[in-house]
């Protein structure tokens, strides 16, 4: 019995591991979701039966793990070095020249380098013994780092087991980072939940990795690229490739993700070409970089060159010029957001940085203002990174020593209601609710947004006027606006007013998830709105639910449940909802997924091309309501590709994978019984 279980557990782990690799690293899974889930369930059941067979590298341990008390210290057998910096072309030429001098006349005229992006994350080292992930640690001071094994295990791209034939003990090093999209998504979520947002992707990678509770790390969109070797021991140690490029290829074979933008180049000229190419590509990369790294390709040559103090002579980091500039703070103001959150903003003497003129920068929250001690009149450094909002990095010079420090206002700068900062929260809030013009404005903006009620043409300027002139006090008032009222607004012609009336009218037909999201309940983003809608099916049921009931909804914890319950307990909110319904806002009930009669629940669909009878969003919503996962790309996991007119490359991909294709007629037919 036990022996059978042992064998089956090993089988399951291999199968799951293989699929994780295909799914997370190759992005090309070949096992349907449902099958994968079945394997996981079977593995969990067996491990529950034989708990002593649970090993730390089991895939079941990936997302769970009890909080660790504090990080242990790991001493790196091979120190984790830093890199010399090069800032100018001349620095790079000098770097190449020095290497030539040291290697002597035998060296080729054009030395071969591997050029890699310099990733803006944190360096982490991972030790695999007998192919199994044994330990992971941060760089720390280069000699001693923190043991972050449990956290690194939750990064999906980091395999728990290596493939192929790695040395018996091999330490591989790389950068843990947070892709830009993930960073923005995570910050949006944190902001919605009233929590402190991260300042930049590097900060958030390091903050997320150094969580004491790995379950939190597991929820963060971390990623890793490997680029260097640490200790190697035991059999297989001698067979390592002789070049850095060969190493990267070996990493790939072992299942470790490497940066797709690395390249072999020749000579200093090749370095400079690569640098310019990456500088050009930088803003379109999915991850943040702050320069490029050149490494001598031949490892034997690396060894001959050795190190100076803490950096190798055979590598250098060529940094991009900082997208930073110096300017002065004219004023510090507090902006009031939809949920009343007060964000300090520095109004700046306009300055050109990172390709645009910046005249204001965020100071994130009052704690940040205090930490950086920014005051009106100060000379400061501002930074702009990619699409990230410009921020004040640090103060260079105080205007004068006795300039007053910035205080959190006691009253809302817009409506004069009391401002409170709840214990343990970084965010201070205006308590004015809907009586606050700023909150009203932001709520309406949210309500009309593309992902909420999707009222086309209801832009910021119009909302501002509607609120200022008291034409709209609550979202329900939007539905009683007349053509006359709208055409009297500034910069609004007859035609656009008529269009807007139409758009408002069109928004009456919506879906429950959109409606719930549009209400702007604290903590309720799109995903939670969808979960609530699917759980309760009808708004009435949600209105009647207690916080305890709401907590039964998938992924809804006590804090969110309390906010949702409090929102619906408010008499004012109920009145607004009732009025919206009176004004004709309506939606179909939501079918619960995974109940009998839901044949598509859990399947993955992809939609491509233009549909005649509905927009892509509508098609997507209809599917989501049926418990379908709608994905952006075709893989073997795709059950159906819905192809409208001009389907493009996805159709070819579907053909390759043998994915069934539905034309619009067939798709409409398929949906019919559920609409
Ligand atoms: S190689 C001996 N390669 O830069 C070689 N480092 O300043 C040591 N980094 O701590 C590092 N991208 O966090 C290397 N492609 C890359 C890198 C990289 C980012 C970071 C790393 C390291 C720091 C050194």
């Amino acid at each position: 019995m036990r022996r059978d279980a042992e064998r089956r557990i090993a089988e399951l782990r291999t199968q799951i591991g293989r699929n994780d690799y295909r799914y997370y690293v190759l992005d090309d899974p070949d096992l349907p979701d449902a099958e994968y889930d079945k394997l996981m369930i079977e593995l969990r059941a067996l491990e529950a039966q034989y708990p002593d067979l649970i090993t730390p590298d089991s895939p079941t341990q990936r997302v769970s793990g009890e909080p660790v008390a504090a990080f242990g210290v790991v001493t790196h057998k091979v120190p984790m070095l830093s890199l010399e910096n090069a800032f100018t072309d001349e620095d790079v030429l000098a770097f190449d020249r020095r290497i030539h001098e040291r290697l002597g006349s035998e060296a080729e005229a054009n030395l071969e380098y591997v050029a890699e992006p310099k990733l803006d994350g944190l360096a982490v080292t991972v030790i695999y013994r007998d192919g199994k992930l044994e330990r992971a640690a941060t760089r720390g001071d280069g000699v001693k780092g923190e043991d972050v094994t449990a956290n690194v295990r939750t990064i999906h791209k980091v395999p728990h087991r290596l493939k192929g034939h790695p040395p018996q003990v091999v330490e591989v090093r790389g950068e843990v980072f947070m892709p830009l999209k993930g960073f923005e998504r995570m910050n949006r979520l944190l902001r919605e939940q009233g929590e402190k947002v991260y300042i930049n992707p590097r900060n958030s990678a390091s903050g997320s990795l150094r969580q004491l509770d790995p379950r939190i790390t597991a929820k963060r969109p971390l990623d890793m690229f490997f680029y260097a070797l640490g200790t190697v021991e035991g059999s297989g140690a001698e067979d390592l490739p002789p070049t850095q490029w060969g190493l990267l290829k070996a990493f790939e074979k072992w299942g470790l993700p490497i940066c797709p933008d690395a390249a072999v180049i020749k000579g200093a000229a090749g370095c400079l070409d690569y640098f310019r190419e990456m500088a050009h590509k930088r803003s379109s990369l999915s991850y943040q970089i702050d320069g490029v790294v050149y490494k001598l390709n031949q490892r034997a040559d690396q060894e001959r060159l050795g190190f100076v103090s803490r950096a190798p002579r055979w590598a250098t980091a060529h940094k991009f010029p900082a997208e930073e500039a110096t300017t002065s703070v004219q004023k510090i103001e507090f902006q009031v957001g939809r949920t009343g959150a007060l964000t300090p903003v520095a109004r700046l003497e306009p300055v050109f940085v990172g390709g645009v003129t910046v005249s204001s920068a965020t100071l994130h929250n009052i704690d940040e203002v205090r930490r950086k001690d920014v005051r009106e009149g100060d000379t400061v450094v501002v930074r702009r990174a990619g699409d990230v909002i410009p921020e004040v990095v640090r103060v260079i010079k105080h205007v004068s020593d006795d300039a007053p420090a910035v205080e959190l206002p006691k009253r809302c700068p817009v409506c004069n209601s009391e401002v409170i900062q709840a214990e343990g929260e970084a965010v201070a809030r205006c308590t004015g609710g809907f009586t606050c013009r700023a909150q009203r404005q932001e709520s309406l903006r949210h309500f009309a947004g593309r992902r909420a009620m999707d009222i086309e043409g209801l832009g910021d300027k119009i909302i501002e006027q509607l609120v200022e002139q008291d034409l709209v006090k609550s979202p329900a008032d939007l539905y009683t606006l007349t053509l006359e009222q709208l055409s009297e607004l500034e910069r609004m012609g007859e035609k656009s007013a008529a269009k807007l009336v139409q758009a408002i009218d069109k928004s009456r037909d919506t879906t429950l998830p959109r409606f719930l999201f549009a209400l702007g309940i604290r903590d309720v983003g799109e995903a939670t709105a969808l979960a609530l809608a699917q759980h309760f099916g009808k708004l009435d049921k949600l209105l009647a639910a207690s916080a305890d009931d709401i907590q039964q909804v998938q992924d809804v914890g006590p804090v969110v449940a309390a906010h949702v319950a409090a929102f619906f307990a408010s008499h004012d909110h109920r009145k607004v909802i009732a009025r919206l319904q009176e004004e004709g806002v309506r939606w179909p009930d939501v079918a619960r997924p995974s109940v009998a009669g839901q044949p598509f629940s859990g399947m993955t669909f992809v939609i491509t091309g233009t549909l005649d009878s509905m927009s892509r969003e509508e098609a997507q919503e209809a599917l989501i309501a049926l418990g379908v996962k709608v994905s952006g790309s075709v893989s073997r996991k795709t059950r159906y590709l819905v192809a409208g007119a001009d389907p493009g490359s996805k159709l070819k991909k579907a053909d390759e994978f043998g994915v069934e294709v539905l034309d619009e007629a067939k798709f409409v037919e398929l949906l019919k019984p559920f609409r």
Side-chain angles (χ1 to χ4, degrees):
M1 272 305 272
R2 185 185 158 85
R3 191 130 6 106
D4 288 346
E6 232 167 319
R7 195 157 28 86
R8 182 67 187 145
I9 285 178
E11 258 170 38
L12 286 166
R13 285 178 186 162
T14 312
Q15 247 177 316
I16 292 169
R18 193 180 309 133
N19 199 65
D20 277 347
Y21 174 73
R22 294 197 66 100
Y23 188 94
Y24 292 111
V25 180
L26 301 182
D27 217 5
D28 181 26
D30 56 0
L31 206 62
D33 273 2
E35 292 294 316
Y36 179 85
D37 292 346
K38 263 196 220 149
L39 298 178
M40 267 304 219
I41 291 167
E42 189 184 346
L43 178 59
R44 280 216 180 87
L46 281 172
E47 288 184 345
Q49 215 176 335
Y50 300 100
D52 59 313
L53 294 182
I54 300 178
T55 56
D57 71 332
S58 171
T60 58
Q61 306 302 301
R62 206 187 264 280
V63 258
S64 63
E66 285 308 303
V68 286
F71 297 112
V73 174
V74 172
T75 306
H76 305 303
K77 274 200 193 155
V78 176
M80 291 182 76
L81 302 166
S82 59
L83 293 167
E84 286 293 353
N85 286 328
F87 294 101
T88 61
D89 289 5
E90 186 43 50
D91 291 346
V92 177
L93 296 176
F95 160 73
D96 180 62
R97 214 166 30 234
R98 280 196 304 272
I99 294 184
H100 268 290
E101 281 163 15
R102 289 203 170 248
L103 289 180
S105 53
E106 289 151 46
E108 296 172 57
N110 275 324
L111 288 166
E112 215 171 58
Y113 294 99
V114 171
E116 301 166 10
K118 187 168 190 300
L119 305 154
D120 211 359
L122 75 156
V124 164
T125 185
V126 187
I127 300 175
Y128 287 89
R129 184 182 297 275
D130 299 320
K132 285 189 268 185
L133 193 164
E134 182 179 73
R135 180 159 315 305
T138 61
R139 173 170 182 266
D141 62 3
V143 178
K144 285 188 161 88
E146 293 157 317
D147 185 337
V148 285
T149 313
N151 293 352
V152 168
R153 276 188 206 287
T154 70
I155 304 175
H156 284 288
K157 286 242 176 92
V158 178
H160 288 185
R161 251 174 198 284
L162 294 182
K163 301 189 304 167
H165 305 285
Q168 196 190 358
V169 179
V170 61
E171 183 175 6
V172 277
R173 294 172 170 178
E175 199 86 352
V176 168
F177 63 95
M178 189 172 286
L180 285 167
K181 279 241 164 67
F183 167 70
E184 281 155 19
R185 198 171 352 108
M186 183 190 76
N187 258 358
R188 216 179 305 132
L189 216 73
L190 289 175
R191 196 170 296 123
E192 268 174 25
Q193 295 173 357
E195 285 181 35
K196 220 183 205 157
V197 293
Y198 283 104
I199 287 164
N200 57 41
R202 195 209 19 239
N203 250 292
S204 70
S206 131
S208 299
L209 190 70
R210 296 167 65 247
Q211 292 283 335
L212 287 178
D213 183 349
R215 284 169 296 192
I216 298 180
T217 312
K219 290 191 182 148
R220 301 287 171 81
L222 291 174
D223 202 340
M224 183 165 185
F225 286 146
F226 288 86
Y227 50 64
L229 202 60
T231 47
V232 190
E233 289 166 22
S235 59
E238 321 76 40
D239 311 332
L240 286 169
T243 60
Q244 165 72 9
W245 186 251
L247 268 186
L248 292 179
K249 291 290 142 188
F251 289 175
E252 223 175 1
K253 274 204 198 112
W254 299 339
L256 298 165
I258 62 165
C259 178
D261 295 293
V264 181
I265 50 162
K266 282 208 168 233
C271 292
L272 297 178
D273 284 347
Y274 181 85
F275 179 78
R276 297 201 213 302
E277 189 189 319
M278 287 315 289
H280 190 68
K281 248 179 123 172
R282 183 182 185 186
S283 60
S284 61
L285 292 175
S286 57
Y287 48 88
Q288 215 169 38
I289 65 176
D290 60 349
V292 301
V293 183
Y294 312 122
K295 302 174 181 173
L296 199 56
N297 197 21
Q298 294 297 332
R299 296 176 58 221
D301 287 346
Q302 294 181 357
E303 228 152 273
R304 280 173 64 195
L305 286 162
F307 307 90
V308 242
S309 66
R310 311 292 297 279
R313 286 201 184 90
W314 44 266
T316 197
H318 191 177
K319 301 287 270 292
F320 292 135
E323 294 188 276
E324 289 185 349
T326 305
T327 186
S328 65
V329 176
Q330 296 174 324
K331 213 170 172 17
I332 293 173
E333 293 176 349
F334 284 83
Q335 266 177 2
V336 185
R338 170 168 61 84
T339 57
L342 259 58
T343 306
V345 176
R347 303 287 173 211
L348 306 166
E349 175 70 39
V351 61
F352 194 71
V353 51
V356 298
T357 301
V358 167
S359 54
S360 57
T362 180
L363 285 157
H364 302 288
N365 54 52
I366 189 72
D367 293 348
E368 277 291 305
V369 179
R370 290 189 187 125
R371 197 173 61 77
K372 293 178 179 157
D373 192 17
V374 187
R375 304 174 191 199
E376 289 183 356
D378 283 359
T379 306
V380 294
V381 172
V382 288
R383 179 193 294 149
R384 192 178 159 270
D387 295 335
V388 184
I389 307 167
E391 55 164 345
V392 173
V393 187
R394 62 179 175 276
V395 172
I396 297 185
K397 199 168 129 257
H398 280 310
V399 57
S400 85
D401 280 339
D402 39 40
V406 176
E407 294 287 343
L408 182 69
K410 293 202 167 45
R411 307 216 143 250
C412 171
V414 178
C415 72
N416 209 32
S417 301
E418 198 191 346
V419 167
I420 53 162
Q421 185 171 18
E423 184 104 11
E425 273 197 26
V427 179
R429 287 174 202 279
C430 152
T431 52
F434 233 67
T435 60
C436 175
R437 192 165 40 76
Q439 287 194 50
R440 215 153 60 208
Q441 218 159 282
E442 290 305 306
S443 303
L444 282 171
R445 206 153 75 141
H446 175 81
F447 184 84
R450 214 168 62 76
R451 299 178 164 282
M453 300 301 279
D454 192 19
I455 307 180
E456 218 183 305
L458 189 58
D460 291 357
K461 285 272 172 284
I462 300 175
I463 290 177
E464 227 176 272
Q465 294 181 62
L466 291 173
V467 169
E468 221 137 74
Q469 298 176 23
D470 259 352
L471 286 170
V472 175
K473 293 207 182 75
S474 95
D477 295 336
L478 287 173
Y479 293 94
T480 56
L481 287 172
T482 64
L483 187 63
E484 253 165 30
Q485 285 173 317
L486 285 175
S487 33
E488 268 165 30
L489 297 179
E490 231 172 84
R491 279 197 264 163
M492 176 77 103
E494 278 272 341
K495 250 200 191 147
S496 29
K499 259 196 178 160
L500 185 51
V501 170
Q502 245 179 29
I504 294 175
D505 183 42
K506 196 170 139 220
S507 77
R508 286 186 161 95
D509 271 309
T510 188
T511 65
L512 183 53
R514 271 178 182 268
F515 181 74
L516 292 176
F517 175 61
L519 290 175
I521 307 165
R522 219 172 122 189
D523 292 347
V524 178
E526 274 177 293
T528 308
L530 181 64
L532 287 168
Q534 288 190 331
H535 185 94
F536 291 101
K538 290 175 189 299
L539 179 65
D540 290 350
K541 289 205 174 132
L542 174 56
L543 288 176
S546 67
D548 277 349
D549 298 335
I550 296 170
Q551 222 183 297
Q552 302 309 310
V553 179
Q554 204 179 4
D555 285 338
V556 171
V559 177
V560 179
H563 283 149
V564 176
F567 183 92
F568 289 120
S570 142
H571 182 64
D572 286 346
H573 291 154
R574 282 188 180 248
K575 237 172 45 193
V576 171
I577 292 169
R579 268 198 60 215
L580 281 165
Q581 288 182 294
E582 276 162 32
E583 293 301 339
V585 174
R586 62 189 170 179
W587 52 84
D589 290 343
V590 176
R592 291 181 184 209
S594 71
V595 291
Q598 289 287 317
F600 309 115
S601 172
M603 288 183 184
T604 305
F605 280 47
V606 175
I607 309 172
T608 185
T610 321
L611 299 174
D612 255 355
S613 55
M614 62 186 105
S615 69
R616 287 253 282 270
E617 277 85 16
E618 285 166 335
Q620 182 167 342
E621 273 164 9
L623 287 171
I624 288 173
L626 292 173
V628 168
K629 218 165 102 189
V630 182
S631 159
S633 59
V634 176
S635 73
R636 284 180 217 285
K637 271 197 345 190
T638 312
R639 180 63 183 87
Y640 290 111
L641 173 72
V642 178
D646 302 323
S649 64
K650 288 192 179 128
L651 196 58
K652 223 176 112 210
K653 197 111 192 251
D655 195 40
E656 249 169 62
F657 291 148
V659 169
E660 201 170 324
V661 179
L662 297 174
D663 62 16
E664 181 160 0
K666 278 200 204 127
F667 176 57
V668 170
E669 193 61 29
L670 179 130
L671 285 184
K672 223 183 214 160
F674 309 100
R675 302 202 93 190

